[in-house]
Amino acid sequence: FGWEIFLELAGAHKAEMKRLLADFACLSRKVFQAAALTDINYFVCHDDICMARGPVCSPAWLREFIYPYYEEFFGYMKEVGIIVIFMTDGNPDLIADDVFACGADGLISEPFGNYEALARRYPDKMLAGDGDNRVLMSRDRDAIERMTRRMCELGRRQPRYLMCIGNHIPWNVPPEAV
């Protein structure tokens, strides 16, 4: 139903939003429950709750409307020993505490977050990201090397950090830039 209607519901029609999310959760619940019956080791949950500057809705709103479902759904995975990796677009800095409190074991996002700070706060969590395809697209070898060295240094200090181009490497990135 689009962003405008979603944001109007989120801000002005809380009862209707709760009902809508509860209905939607019925579908998600089945996916998580089915995955928990498999022999997978890792489950990636991708939810676009962030944009480049942070969460789409306030942390308080997410705690009321979204995170209770994460706790439930991640719980299905945790009960059977499946590692949960949470993926979001945008900047995860303001959601990381809550997502990890819900049971996520790792976080993948686009290169808008402060991965140095995240690594210090969560030494026991898997983090992946910080690499930026826009740097690759620039074809600036010095900038590419600086980005790569920064990610390597973070990986040396944080053994659970994985180098990752968080906004992915699309088809049009020049091979020599990779």
Side-chain angles (χ1 to χ4, degrees):
F1 44 74
W3 275 110
E4 292 82 12
I5 293 174
F6 171 80
L7 292 174
E8 182 179 334
L9 284 169
H13 304 281
K14 288 190 171 192
E16 291 80 0
M17 178 56 87
K18 275 196 187 286
R19 190 179 77 243
L20 177 69
L21 289 172
D23 289 347
F24 188 74
C26 290
L27 299 171
S28 296
R29 184 175 291 112
K30 290 177 183 181
V31 171
F32 280 84
Q33 288 173 330
L37 296 173
T38 69
D39 63 351
I40 61 173
N41 295 317
Y42 301 90
F43 186 90
V44 176
C45 173
H46 187 156
D47 197 354
D48 290 334
I49 60 174
C50 294
M51 297 180 84
R53 290 185 292 175
V56 172
C57 296
S58 74
W61 188 93
L62 291 167
R63 287 181 197 115
E64 181 178 353
F65 289 91
I66 302 298
Y67 296 145
Y69 291 116
Y70 286 2
E71 286 182 44
E72 175 192 349
F73 299 159
F74 296 174
Y76 298 133
M77 305 291 115
K78 306 309 286 181
E79 286 174 10
V80 295
I82 296 172
I83 295 168
V84 176
I85 301 168
F86 184 78
M87 178 185 287
T88 187
D89 291 341
N91 183 335
D93 293 350
L94 293 177
I95 61 137
D97 288 341
D98 290 312
V99 168
F100 288 137
C102 290
D105 300 290
L107 176 69
I108 300 172
S109 75
E110 292 182 342
F112 301 110
N114 183 339
Y115 276 83
E116 288 284 339
L118 290 170
R120 281 191 302 275
R121 283 185 8 226
Y122 309 107
D124 61 331
K125 302 295 184 184
M126 187 281 297
L127 300 172
D130 203 25
D132 192 337
N133 69 26
R134 295 168 299 184
V135 175
L136 298 178
M137 291 294 288
S138 75
R139 296 182 185 193
D140 179 337
R141 294 188 67 75
D142 291 335
I144 293 168
E145 184 172 336
R146 280 192 304 276
M147 177 182 73
T148 304
R149 287 185 182 279
R150 184 186 72 238
M151 290 190 300
C152 288
E153 284 302 316
L154 181 55
R156 283 186 187 94
R157 292 189 310 278
Q158 164 52 296
R160 294 177 184 254
Y161 170 74
L162 303 170
M163 291 176 59
C164 176
I165 304 297
N167 47 359
H168 312 296
I169 302 177
W171 65 271
N172 59 339
V173 172
E176 67 273 10
V178 178

